[in-house]
Amino acid sequence: MFSKKKIGGVVQTYMKYDPVRFPSPTQPPPDFVSPIMNQMLAYGSMRELTEEELARAVRLDPEQFKNLGPGLDLMKAILEERKRKILETYETKTVELKARKNFHKHAKNGPQIPKSVREFFKEAIQQEQLYDLERMYYQVGDDTDPLAQHLAQLISRLATKYEIDELVSKYDFTGREPLSVPLALEIKEELEKIDELLKQLEEARDTAQIAILDLEKLGEFMDEETMHSLEEMQRTIENYVKEAAERQGLEKKDGRFHLTPQAYRVFQGKLLARIFANLQASRSGRHEGNIVGEGAVELQSTKPYEFGDSLTHMDIPQTFINAMLRGGSELPIRLKSEDIEIHRTRNNPKSATVVVMDMSGSMRYDGQYINVKRMALAMEGLIRTEYPGDYLNFIEMYTFGKIRRSGEIIDLMPKNVTIHNPWVQLKVDMSRDDVSEHMVHQHFTNIQHSLRLARQLLAGQDTPNRQVVLITDGLPTAHFDDNMLYMLYPPHPLTEEATMREGAMCAREGITINTFLVPSWSQSEEDIRFAHRLSEKTKGRVFFTAGGDLDRFVVWDYLNRKREILG
């Protein structure tokens, strides 16, 4: 094998640990939570991460670490120089010819081939078809048979020829020294190892993800001093990543990282920051910093006393001023009803909202279910931080409606389509003891049952401001009639009638239904008309939104509704 020699005339210089240039603990840490949470939104309950997975999930600023340890560019240069010397030393035409001759020579020196497969064998050898030789080997069915042993050796020699062919096609050799077959295979392995390390170094240089480097393989090409310094740099960055991750709510337990409630709050805060970054200062009462500029000055407002007003809201200074203006300097000051000024008050009622999240089979289209879950987390974060007195609950909608806690949202996934017939008409008696929900096809859309659950949840809320936020991509395809569950596709008038009846019951109880219609490959004009009919029944509205903006639209609409209530 090509001997490894140190490159003469190269002096390796690098800076050791520099506490001045190392990231300050007071500067904003890199975002560890968002990449992981986005991964979980797409794939569900991936709640544990190894250190390597954490390193790949987080993008660090390479500028923060460029003065730690040996330069990655220097390592890259060493590997490229080694690769260049190998390519300039050897030629491959000779070994390519050797590998081909070895295969065909061994094919001629084998046992007698049965007449029934002789032509097939001859063609496989001429065309050098590995698959055909493997078929013949398995047809023999006996490893001790001389023909099977011969075929096994042929397969091995042909596989070696394939590897030599790959070496020749993948690399441009310009040298003159011939290669033997074993040495060519070793050279191929070494070159592939160098290519892999070069790719790792390139990625590590761009992302500061030193953990992705294979130090064992890298150690085959670097001296001990360089590798020792690289390991120190890797430990330094790993410690920084671990400490920053823990500050953001990633807890290490049993060698793996777990998401804590704090991590959820960090992610929700970043979601809200992104949403409000596009909101003008004058359009919301939620601001991260001071807003400087011209604007109206808000003053306290009062009114004359009227019978029935509570005296606890009396503006005492203004009341006495009114009495003194009326009576002059006469003492004692005597108050009359016309002197009394009352502070105007504003009711701050609660809002009660139930979010219905479509997780039927069609929500896989364009990853719409991810946008729905991101919206739900943003809403939960908004209400918990901004309006803690409001009520919020979530319902997962598929063939059934299911009440979900906020902690379960991250694991919701669209249901797999289990029926592919273009025409489906099924009904199931769910009151039977031998029938369970898990036995029923899950991928249908049951808006009627979800609205019923939402209505029951909102019935116990002592506020007139109750609404259902329905997020779906189209018409319902399932409904209940007493205990009988119907699953009908294409969407059937019976299902729409049952859904409209449930919407009318919401309207009678003062519950508004606002529908957010996300795009789908199967969406038609009838889907849009249905959404309008349902929202009109409850004096609600229909929003058409691209899935990626769903969280922004829902949060902004919620804030607009709050302003209407308070104003």
Side-chain angles (χ1 to χ4, degrees):
M1 191 172 179
F2 191 84
S3 60
K4 293 186 288 186
K5 298 180 180 179
K6 293 186 178 180
I7 302 174
V10 176
V11 179
Q12 300 184 34
T13 59
Y14 54 84
M15 297 181 68
K16 296 292 185 179
Y17 174 80
D18 184 354
V20 176
R21 297 299 299 272
F22 194 70
S24 167
T26 60
Q27 74 178 40
D31 184 3
F32 292 89
V33 174
S34 293
I36 300 168
M37 290 294 290
N38 288 330
Q39 176 84 354
M40 291 177 62
L41 287 172
Y43 299 104
S45 57
M46 190 199 70
R47 294 182 177 274
E48 299 178 354
L49 298 167
T50 63
E51 291 184 4
E52 182 178 354
E53 289 170 334
L54 177 67
R56 288 189 175 275
V58 177
R59 185 173 182 86
L60 300 174
D61 183 5
E63 292 296 317
Q64 296 176 332
F65 301 98
K66 66 180 181 180
N67 290 325
L68 292 177
L72 299 183
D73 286 333
L74 175 61
M75 295 185 191
K76 184 180 175 183
I78 292 173
L79 292 174
E80 288 175 341
E81 176 67 12
R82 174 138 181 91
K83 179 178 178 179
R84 183 186 64 79
K85 284 195 171 184
I86 293 174
L87 296 179
E88 291 179 352
T89 300
Y90 298 107
E91 59 87 17
T92 53
K93 290 183 179 179
T94 303
V95 72
E96 187 179 15
L97 185 60
K98 283 181 184 178
R100 187 173 185 278
K101 284 183 176 180
N102 286 343
F103 169 69
H104 286 278
K105 181 179 178 181
H106 191 77
K108 293 178 181 178
N109 297 334
Q112 184 70 24
I113 305 298
K115 189 175 181 179
S116 59
V117 294
R118 192 171 298 162
E119 288 299 322
F120 182 81
F121 175 78
K122 183 179 179 181
E123 185 176 356
I125 296 299
Q126 288 177 346
Q127 297 183 3
E128 299 177 352
Q129 290 296 318
L130 185 64
Y131 174 70
D132 290 340
L133 294 176
E134 288 177 343
R135 284 177 60 190
M136 288 185 63
Y137 172 80
Y138 287 115
Q139 285 175 358
V140 173
D142 183 4
D143 291 344
T144 61
D145 188 280
L147 178 58
Q149 294 177 355
H150 177 64
L151 288 171
Q153 294 172 359
L154 274 177
I155 290 170
S156 175
R157 280 171 168 75
L158 184 56
T160 298
K161 181 187 178 301
Y162 282 177
E163 288 199 62
I164 300 297
D165 291 343
E166 183 184 3
L167 174 68
V168 174
S169 63
K170 193 173 181 180
Y171 301 100
D172 295 326
F173 287 84
T174 59
R176 295 185 177 182
E177 185 175 333
L179 284 166
S180 65
V181 172
L183 181 57
L185 296 178
E186 291 181 13
I187 290 294
K188 179 176 181 290
E189 181 182 357
E190 182 172 2
L191 288 173
E192 289 175 343
K193 195 180 296 182
I194 289 174
D195 286 345
E196 181 184 355
L197 289 171
L198 286 172
K199 186 177 179 181
Q200 291 178 2
L201 285 169
E202 190 75 27
E203 186 177 355
R205 185 184 64 178
D206 293 340
T207 63
Q209 295 175 350
I210 305 299
I212 67 176
L213 294 178
D214 189 331
L215 297 185
E216 184 177 350
K217 289 181 181 179
L218 198 59
E220 298 177 17
F221 302 94
M222 304 295 163
D223 57 39
E224 292 184 5
E225 183 181 359
T226 299
M227 289 307 301
H228 178 69
S229 300
L230 181 63
E231 289 169 0
E232 284 185 356
M233 178 170 65
Q234 184 181 42
R235 283 193 295 270
T236 301
I237 294 178
E238 283 178 357
N239 290 335
Y240 170 72
V241 169
K242 290 176 186 176
E243 291 174 4
E246 289 172 0
R247 288 199 301 270
Q248 294 184 40
L250 295 176
E251 179 183 44
K252 189 172 183 181
K253 186 184 299 181
D254 301 327
R256 300 177 72 88
F257 286 90
H258 302 253
L259 288 169
T260 65
Q262 180 188 348
Y264 280 81
R265 290 193 292 272
V266 170
F267 181 66
Q268 287 173 328
K270 292 183 182 298
L271 279 178
L272 293 175
R274 179 182 64 84
I275 292 170
F276 284 96
N278 297 323
L279 192 60
Q280 294 178 2
S282 62
R283 296 187 60 185
S284 171
R286 185 183 191 273
H287 305 293
E288 295 295 337
N290 295 327
I291 297 179
V292 181
E294 295 296 327
V297 179
E298 185 178 6
L299 299 175
Q300 293 185 2
S301 178
T302 61
K303 68 180 186 70
Y305 171 78
E306 296 178 7
F307 179 77
D309 288 342
S310 173
L311 292 179
T312 58
H313 297 142
M314 183 171 65
D315 184 348
I316 296 176
Q318 187 61 47
T319 298
F320 276 90
I321 290 173
N322 291 342
M324 292 171 66
L325 290 173
R326 178 183 52 80
S329 59
E330 180 182 350
L331 293 176
I333 299 173
R334 300 184 182 273
L335 295 179
K336 293 186 178 182
S337 60
E338 60 264 28
D339 299 327
I340 300 176
E341 290 281 334
I342 299 293
H343 285 292
R344 293 184 183 272
T345 60
R346 184 173 63 178
N347 187 20
N348 189 14
K350 292 191 302 179
S351 292
T353 303
V354 173
V355 178
V356 177
M357 304 172 292
D358 192 344
M359 288 291 151
S360 62
S362 59
M363 291 300 287
R364 285 187 182 275
Y365 171 73
D366 204 25
Q368 294 291 12
Y369 71 98
I370 301 175
N371 301 318
V372 173
K373 295 198 288 184
R374 186 179 288 114
M375 174 281 307
L377 291 175
M379 278 289 289
E380 201 265 339
L382 172 73
I383 289 179
R384 189 186 64 250
T385 57
E386 304 289 329
Y387 304 105
D390 285 1
Y391 172 84
L392 178 68
N393 217 324
F394 300 95
I395 292 177
E396 179 190 12
M397 179 174 67
Y398 50 107
T399 303
F400 306 91
K402 288 292 177 185
I403 301 171
R404 298 299 186 191
R405 302 188 310 273
S406 59
E408 298 176 294
I409 292 172
I410 203 75
D411 291 328
L412 300 183
M413 297 293 290
K415 305 303 179 270
N416 292 322
V417 177
T418 51
I419 303 178
H420 299 280
N421 295 339
W423 191 273
V424 180
Q425 290 191 335
L426 300 173
K427 66 177 181 178
V428 182
D429 185 358
M430 297 304 297
S431 64
R432 289 171 47 182
D433 294 334
D434 59 338
V435 175
S436 68
E437 293 183 3
H438 299 289
M439 301 167 62
V440 178
H441 300 284
Q442 306 281 299
H443 62 273
F444 292 87
T445 307
N446 197 334
I447 298 178
Q448 176 257 341
H449 189 221
S450 300
L451 290 180
R452 180 190 298 176
L453 285 177
R455 181 167 56 84
Q456 293 169 353
L457 290 172
L458 293 172
Q461 300 305 312
D462 185 19
T463 173
N465 309 303
R466 295 176 294 170
Q467 69 165 335
V468 174
V469 174
L470 172 62
I471 302 167
T472 184
D473 61 353
L475 287 162
T477 54
H479 72 278
F480 274 97
D481 188 355
D482 292 331
N483 293 320
M484 194 67 69
L485 172 64
Y486 290 85
M487 292 164 281
L488 306 174
Y489 186 85
H492 197 278
L494 284 176
T495 302
E496 180 172 341
E497 290 171 7
T499 306
M500 287 299 180
R501 284 196 299 271
E502 194 62 50
M505 295 179 71
C506 290
R508 283 199 296 269
E509 297 183 17
I511 298 171
T512 302
I513 300 176
N514 288 322
T515 304
F516 288 80
L517 202 61
V518 296
S520 170
W521 66 271
S522 60
Q523 202 168 78
S524 66
E525 183 180 352
E526 186 54 34
D527 295 288
I528 297 171
R529 290 182 182 275
F530 165 77
H532 275 290
R533 289 194 296 269
L534 180 62
S535 293
E536 286 172 358
K537 239 180 205 319
T538 63
K539 299 180 181 179
R541 291 159 295 165
V542 179
F543 298 83
F544 301 93
T545 172
D549 291 328
L550 180 63
D551 52 358
R552 180 166 59 91
F553 277 109
V554 174
V555 168
W556 286 15
D557 181 65
Y558 187 84
L559 293 173
N560 286 333
R561 180 172 172 79
K562 291 293 290 187
R563 282 193 290 272
E564 289 174 7
I565 293 170
L566 299 179

